Amino acid sequence: MIVVMKPGSTQQQLDHVIHLVREMGLKDHVIVGTERTVVAVVGNDRFKDRTVLETVEGVEKVVPILAPYKMASKEVKKERSLIPLMLPDKARIGGRKVQVIAGPCSVESRQQLMEIAHAVKEAGATGLRGGAFKPRTNPYSFQGMGEKGLELLALARQETGLAVVTEVMAVEQVALVTKYADVLQVGARNMQNFNLLNAVGEQPKPVLLKRGMSATLEEFLLAAEYIMAKGNNHVMLCERGIRTYEDYVRNTLALAAVPELHRVSHLPVIIDPSQGTGKSYLVDSMCRAAVAAGADALIIEVHNDPEHAFTDGAQSITPQQFADMMNSIKRIAAAVDREV
Ligand code: PEP
Ligand code: MN
């Protein structure tokens, strides 16, 4: 980090800053300019609390140089990570192929899930999504089928070969969900549930981490860092839209997150255009835009009867719309040297 002193700051104030820097176990390199003095702090200050220096008298600002996350950053790993959708090593996300995970918002019944699973598989999906534990805003809304839903997902995998991606909402559910799922989804509302992040970091299945609806990209990457710091490097970052003042969409899908996350991190980036817009008629365009922007995968809500879906019907596309979308993204993928 660089500590910038205020114009007119005193030698005593500068000495105090130097004292604090050395107390942190770091080295100081003072540069006296014509108008200002700055202290370049030398050493690994990633885990030091720079806010301590921000309020010291005579200090104008502290400019960080290293990102606060490490394992998730490009500094430690230049090449892109390839994360398997299914262990040991099937359908990897982060390579040339854009993987597509599709399925209902919630698992509702055997017939519903099988019908959708076969349809998305037929159209070229490699993963099956579906919530068995649902984070609902209203406690009286459908909360998911629980373990029965997980059993149905496992059955759908057996029938179709699709990798199962499903949400885990609590630390106590991790063992159970790990038993059935190929990828554990940590939802937007749990992005900063640090106990849950630690728990999914301590189990072997890959994790699809959603960005919190009001989280910055730095906070998002620090959440990924929690999982990786526990020893699980198989983390995929999923942008699913953030809260803004807009009301023509449910969330504002921040597609610039794709190139920006690729710039600072080696982890693959997935786009969820369903939670990302809340409108089924916007999904197709956002899928094409996401692939054009370099997304490594898409996760999409598909329902065979959206009007009667238990959850998120308004943003769910039909199997036919899904198949049409798959065809249209193939052309976009080819234009950006990818394939679907
Ligand atoms: C979902 O995928 O259905 C879901 C609830 O996602 P999010 O956590 O992004 O809201
Ligand atoms: Mn949903």
Side-chain angles (χ1 to χ4, degrees):
M1 65 186 130
I2 309 276
V3 183
V4 182
M5 302 301 292
K6 283 183 179 152
S9 57
T10 66
Q11 182 63 41
Q12 211 179 4
Q13 288 166 340
L14 178 66
D15 288 343
H16 187 54
V17 167
I18 293 169
H19 173 74
L20 289 171
V21 167
R22 291 183 186 171
E23 227 177 36
M24 288 177 178
L26 300 165
K27 290 205 174 103
D28 53 276
H29 181 71
V30 179
I31 303 158
V32 183
T34 46
E35 300 203 2
R36 263 164 217 262
T37 297
V38 303
V39 183
V41 178
V42 186
N44 187 350
D45 60 14
R46 179 171 266 124
F47 306 115
K48 309 287 178 189
D49 183 6
R50 69 182 151 85
T51 60
V52 168
L53 293 166
E54 275 167 7
T55 48
V56 169
E57 270 187 59
V59 171
E60 181 163 296
K61 62 180 171 184
V62 179
V63 184
I65 304 296
L66 289 178
Y69 45 87
K70 185 175 178 181
M71 318 269 286
S73 93
K74 267 260 179 79
E75 287 165 40
V76 293
K77 189 169 181 285
K78 294 271 175 283
E79 66 283 4
R80 292 273 184 86
S81 285
L82 289 166
I83 315 280
L85 257 185
M86 208 190 254
L87 295 171
D89 211 5
K90 212 177 147 200
R92 297 198 292 175
I93 296 192
R96 191 166 187 275
K97 186 169 160 74
V98 179
Q99 304 285 358
V100 180
I101 303 158
C105 177
S106 301
V107 179
E108 299 171 11
S109 69
R110 179 179 174 143
Q111 201 200 338
Q112 172 244 20
L113 187 66
M114 297 309 149
E115 200 174 313
I116 298 168
H118 283 286
V120 300
K121 164 82 184 184
E122 180 82 2
T126 41
L128 174 67
R129 63 148 292 146
F133 294 103
K134 296 301 301 177
R136 306 306 307 284
T137 301
N138 185 329
Y140 307 117
S141 305
F142 177 63
Q143 303 285 313
M145 289 180 78
E147 186 165 6
K148 184 84 192 92
L150 295 174
E151 284 168 10
L152 292 175
L153 286 163
L155 190 65
R157 169 180 50 221
Q158 211 180 330
E159 286 196 10
T160 61
L162 292 170
V164 167
V165 181
T166 195
E167 178 159 356
V168 57
M169 281 174 58
V171 174
E172 312 83 75
Q173 292 166 357
V174 172
L176 178 71
V177 178
T178 306
K179 201 170 109 191
Y180 293 96
D182 296 295
V183 175
L184 305 189
Q185 174 175 324
V186 172
R189 290 155 191 82
N190 267 319
M191 191 207 82
Q192 283 190 322
N193 179 340
F194 302 116
N195 292 327
L196 182 61
L197 298 176
N198 285 332
V200 297
E202 282 166 353
Q203 60 75 53
K205 297 274 170 81
V207 178
L208 185 155
L209 175 67
K210 293 219 173 178
R211 177 185 181 182
M213 58 189 87
S214 57
T216 63
L217 287 193
E218 185 171 290
E219 288 163 342
F220 188 20
L221 286 160
L222 282 167
E225 188 81 9
Y226 259 88
I227 301 169
M228 299 175 86
K230 286 288 175 188
N232 188 350
N233 288 328
H234 287 161
V235 180
M236 309 166 223
L237 303 168
C238 179
E239 170 62 63
R240 45 76 74 205
I242 52 173
R243 271 280 161 88
T244 68
Y245 50 80
E246 268 304 351
D247 59 5
Y248 76 99
V249 278
R250 179 180 177 193
N251 291 293
T252 296
L253 185 59
L255 282 179
V258 178
E260 179 60 15
L261 288 169
H262 279 159
R263 191 176 72 83
V264 296
S265 174
H266 54 88
L267 298 173
V269 182
I270 303 177
I271 289 293
D272 177 343
S274 310
Q275 328 302 320
T277 61
K279 313 280 186 203
S280 57
Y281 52 80
L282 296 176
V283 168
D284 174 67
S285 311
M286 288 302 98
C287 288
R288 282 184 274 133
V291 173
D296 298 297
L298 302 170
I299 182 165
I300 302 162
E301 288 183 345
V302 178
H303 201 284
N304 51 348
D305 183 7
E307 287 177 359
H308 298 102
F310 289 6
T311 58
D312 287 351
Q315 65 194 35
S316 299
I317 57 173
T318 63
Q320 183 58 52
Q321 289 168 328
F322 178 73
D324 294 343
M325 182 282 298
M326 288 296 278
N327 276 329
S328 74
I329 61 169
K330 277 184 191 135
R331 282 175 286 155
I332 305 288
V336 292
D337 283 332
R338 303 286 286 267
E339 60 186 72
V340 177

